């Protein structure tokens, strides 16, 4: 079965710049070492380097960083579609770990499934890279709250 792709249109012409600026103010983003690989309307790729502090045994990520990179990718994908001045907040996440995340960066691809006025539902696929190939290690379904300017 072919999965239909949905083309989304950004409502903020500065969406990519606003995402980068907004995340740069979050201490957790710096602690995790998150960086954007790609930002497009409705889809974002976020990467996180491996660090021993995020492992539960040598060379393998613990679940928490997989959760974090999935959440950030999915909510940032949603953030590409909100009006200028608005922000996003996660209200629900379901993470399914489907394989080990071995040493090497984690890369999450977040995609908007349904964008609404109040809530946006996105998904994220988290991949581990070992220098030669990638492997899917987790999937997430994420609901974000679209917040108007205060």
């Amino acid at each position: 079965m072919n999965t239909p792709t949905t083309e989304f249109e950004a409502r903020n012409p500065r969406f990519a710049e606003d995402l980068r600026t907004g995340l740069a103010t979050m201490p957790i983003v710096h602690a995790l070492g998150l960086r954007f690989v790609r930002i497009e309307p409705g889809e974002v790729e976020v990467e996180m380097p491996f660090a021993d502090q995020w492992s539960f045994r040598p060379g393998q990520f613990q679940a928490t960083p997989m959760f974090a990179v999935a959440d950030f990718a999915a909510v940032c994908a949603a953030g590409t579609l909100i009006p200028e001045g608005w922000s996003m907040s996660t209200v629900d996440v379901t993470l399914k770990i489907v394989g080990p995340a071995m040493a090497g960066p984690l890369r999450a691809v977040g995609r908007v499934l349904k964008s609404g006025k109040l809530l946006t539902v996105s998904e994220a696929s988290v991949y581990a890279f070992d220098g030669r190939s990638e492997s899917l290690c987790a999937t997430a379904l994420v609901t974000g709250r679209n917040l108007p300017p205060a």
Side-chain angles (χ1 to χ4, degrees):
M1 178 172 131
N2 291 334
T3 303
T5 58
T6 303
E7 298 265 340
F8 290 103
E9 187 174 319
R11 292 165 48 190
N12 173 4
R14 299 172 3 127
F15 70 93
E17 180 184 335
D18 287 355
L19 273 179
R20 283 188 182 93
T21 302
L23 259 63
T25 65
M26 300 173 137
I28 188 69
V29 170
H30 297 284
L32 294 170
L34 298 179
R35 73 174 188 86
F36 287 110
V37 174
R38 183 171 52 88
I39 304 173
E40 297 175 12
E43 189 166 317
V44 168
E45 272 185 69
V46 177
E47 189 172 86
M48 178 183 170
F50 181 80
D52 286 335
Q53 68 191 16
W54 306 117
S55 65
F56 78 99
R57 64 182 188 187
Q60 188 171 351
F61 277 100
Q62 194 265 349
T64 302
M66 289 192 291
F67 179 94
V69 74
D71 179 40
F72 273 100
V75 171
C76 285
T80 66
L81 303 179
I82 59 177
E84 189 170 359
W86 286 51
S87 59
M88 297 289 307
S89 179
T90 302
V91 295
D92 185 63
V93 179
T94 300
L95 181 77
K96 298 296 183 186
I97 297 173
V98 298
M102 303 309 285
L106 288 178
R107 185 170 291 175
V109 179
R111 292 179 195 89
V112 171
L113 299 173
K114 177 72 174 166
S115 179
K117 183 174 179 172
L118 180 65
L119 300 172
T120 299
V121 178
S122 303
E123 65 179 353
S125 298
V126 181
Y127 300 91
F129 290 87
D130 66 5
R132 294 179 313 243
S133 63
E134 67 181 31
S135 61
L136 180 67
C137 58
T139 63
L141 184 62
V142 181
T143 303
R145 171 77 162 88
N146 308 328
L147 301 168

